[in-house]
Amino acid sequence: MKKKPISIAVAYFIAVIVLAHFFVPPLYDWTQNTVSDLASQGHTYKWIMQTGFIGFGLLLTWGVIFHFSKNRRAYFLLFVAVYGLSILMSGIFCTAPIDPSMPYSVSESKLHSMFATIAGAAMSLGIFWQVIVSLNQRERWRRIAFFVLVIGISGLFGLAENHILALDKGIVQRCLYLAGLAWLIYEEQILFKGKVNSK
């Protein structure tokens, strides 16, 4: 049985997200609040989701090292590494509390947002890179679909967060996570097939 470190990282992350929902902070509504809010400042059980972010980042980095050592032409893994390390850092620095009356560190919240943004950009660039170097049309179109999904859902999340569209931003963000995590698993399957372009 082949070791699948990226798939293990994804499974771990999903498991911790599910677990963290049993220990949500007051006022939390999964349809409106983000996964980051599960590790918000002032939340008694924020460490659960922090463990998820940090552990996912470490496991994903291990996955990158594992695969890159076997295939030095898989340059997209560098973007995945940046994504994973950025998720890790977003677990160290927590977002603002859901309750606006609670005191919190503005600088820590800004750092969380910055690393979350870097993570999103790194994943988008990684998918775009793979679109360019695809070996056949089937792979290219699948990757284009992932790219459109990630970019499109990211745009919807931004509109929801800024109250431009009346969307449940918690649901939108979880859809974004699912699209990104599905892409990671898809690319790991391709890596095991040994079909990686060096362009």
Side-chain angles (χ1 to χ4, degrees), residues 4-18 35 49 52-53 55-57 59-60 76 80 83-84 87 119-120 123-124 127 146-147 149-150 153 173-189:
K4 297 182 178 180
I6 291 177
S7 297
I8 290 170
V10 169
Y12 167 82
F13 193 43
I14 292 173
V16 176
I17 290 173
V18 171
V35 171
M49 198 60 244
F53 286 129
F56 176 63
L59 287 169
L60 199 56
F76 82 97
V80 175
Y83 168 75
I87 292 290
M123 172 166 281
S124 299
I127 300 172
F146 278 120
F147 184 74
L149 270 175
V150 168
I153 300 172
Q173 193 214 33
R174 284 162 176 78
C175 290
L176 178 59
Y177 266 123
L178 284 175
L181 296 176
W183 173 71
L184 289 173
I185 292 173
Y186 173 74
E187 292 297 345
E188 185 167 55
Q189 301 306 314

Side-chain angles (χ1 to χ4, degrees), residues 119-136:
M123 172 166 281
S124 299
L125 289 170
I127 300 172
F128 184 70
W129 179 280
Q130 289 299 84
V131 169
I132 293 171
V133 302
S134 295
L135 292 173
N136 57 62

Side-chain angles (χ1 to χ4, degrees), residues 20 23 26 31 36 43 51 60 67 80 108 129 133 151 161 163 177 182-184 194:
F23 302 92
T31 65
S36 292
H43 174 38
T51 302
L60 199 56
H67 285 296
V80 175
E108 183 176 346
W129 179 280
V133 302
I151 295 297
E161 195 169 35
H163 308 291
Y177 266 123
W183 173 71
L184 289 173

